Amino acid sequence: KQWYQRRVRAMSRGINHVEGGWPKDVNAAEVEQTLRYRKKVEKDEVYIQAIQQLGSVMEHTIKQNNAVDIYEEYFDDVIEDGCVEPPSAKTINVFRDPNEIKRTATNISWYPDNAQKLAVAYSVLEFQRSSPGMCMDSYIWDVESPNKADMALKPISPLVCIEYNPKDPHCLVGGQYNGQLAFWDT
């Protein structure tokens, strides 16, 4: 191993932060001292360049804001329909974990070619809460028959996530609780 060692000499310089960032030798309450310090800073070449640069950026931003009139009525010609229904949702099917000990559906993936099937990963994510005899299966469900799973996936550890391959819809990949990946060709 190589070590790089360098000595640093620390200096303490104070700034009065009661009003702004005045140097220690300038009393912010004394108008003469603050005016003198401002004039000194305003004559500095770095300050002048910074103000010029910021001025061009500010001008560009102001021109952008002026390009759009925020008070203009853009859609005044659109007629409002008086009967607007509130959004609603309706349960069509319920896909239940077929095992006796119920587990959380941790991830779902819709079949890419059509919305007729979905793969569901089931697991218990609470650390060391799964019982020894708990089933580790996850399932592929057919939307038309929610009472019986279309296929059971049998990983060596519960699946936490699952995803169909969008280019080959017969292939699935799943992330297991133990950190391994599982691959299925259905």
Side-chain angles (χ1 to χ4, degrees), residues 116-156:
Q116 288 302 109
K117 292 184 179 187
L118 69 145
V120 182
Y122 292 97
S123 66
V124 175
L125 295 178
E126 296 175 23
F127 184 65
Q128 295 183 341
R129 290 284 175 123
S130 59
S131 59
M134 185 177 288
C135 180
M136 291 186 269
D137 295 355
S138 288
Y139 300 97
I140 296 175
W141 296 91
D142 188 333
V143 175
E144 298 300 320
S145 60
N147 296 328
K148 185 176 183 295
D150 201 35
M151 182 183 293
L153 305 171
K154 299 189 176 291
I156 59 170

Side-chain angles (χ1 to χ4, degrees), residues 48-144:
I48 294 169
Q49 289 174 354
I51 293 297
Q52 287 174 342
Q53 181 186 5
L54 290 173
S56 63
V57 172
M58 184 60 85
E59 183 181 7
H60 174 73
T61 307
I62 289 171
K63 285 180 179 177
Q64 277 184 328
N65 284 344
N66 289 339
V68 177
D69 183 5
I70 62 172
Y71 299 107
E72 183 179 340
E73 293 290 332
Y74 288 100
F75 303 104
D76 55 352
D77 59 333
V78 176
I79 301 169
E80 278 191 43
D81 189 9
C83 59
V84 177
E85 293 181 25
S88 64
K90 180 173 98 172
T91 302
I92 297 172
N93 288 330
V94 176
F95 302 92
R96 297 188 193 282
D97 183 7
N99 296 296
E100 289 178 24
I101 302 171
K102 300 303 176 198
R103 303 165 295 162
T104 306
T106 54
N107 190 249
I108 66 168
S109 177
W110 287 96
Y111 190 74
D113 284 352
N114 59 18
Q116 288 302 109
K117 292 184 179 187
L118 69 145
V120 182
Y122 292 97
S123 66
V124 175
L125 295 178
E126 296 175 23
F127 184 65
Q128 295 183 341
R129 290 284 175 123
S130 59
S131 59
M134 185 177 288
C135 180
M136 291 186 269
D137 295 355
S138 288
Y139 300 97
I140 296 175
W141 296 91
D142 188 333
V143 175
E144 298 300 320

Side-chain angles (χ1 to χ4, degrees), residues 15-38:
I15 293 180
N16 184 8
H17 286 285
V18 176
E19 182 207 305
W22 299 104
K24 198 173 191 177
D25 59 327
V26 175
N27 185 358
E30 291 288 329
V31 178
E32 270 186 49
Q33 286 185 9
T34 57
L35 282 174
R36 199 174 324 124
Y37 183 74
R38 282 184 184 147

Side-chain angles (χ1 to χ4, degrees), residues 112-113 163-169 171:
D113 284 352
E163 194 68 41
Y164 275 104
N165 182 345
K167 298 199 187 285
D168 185 1
C171 295

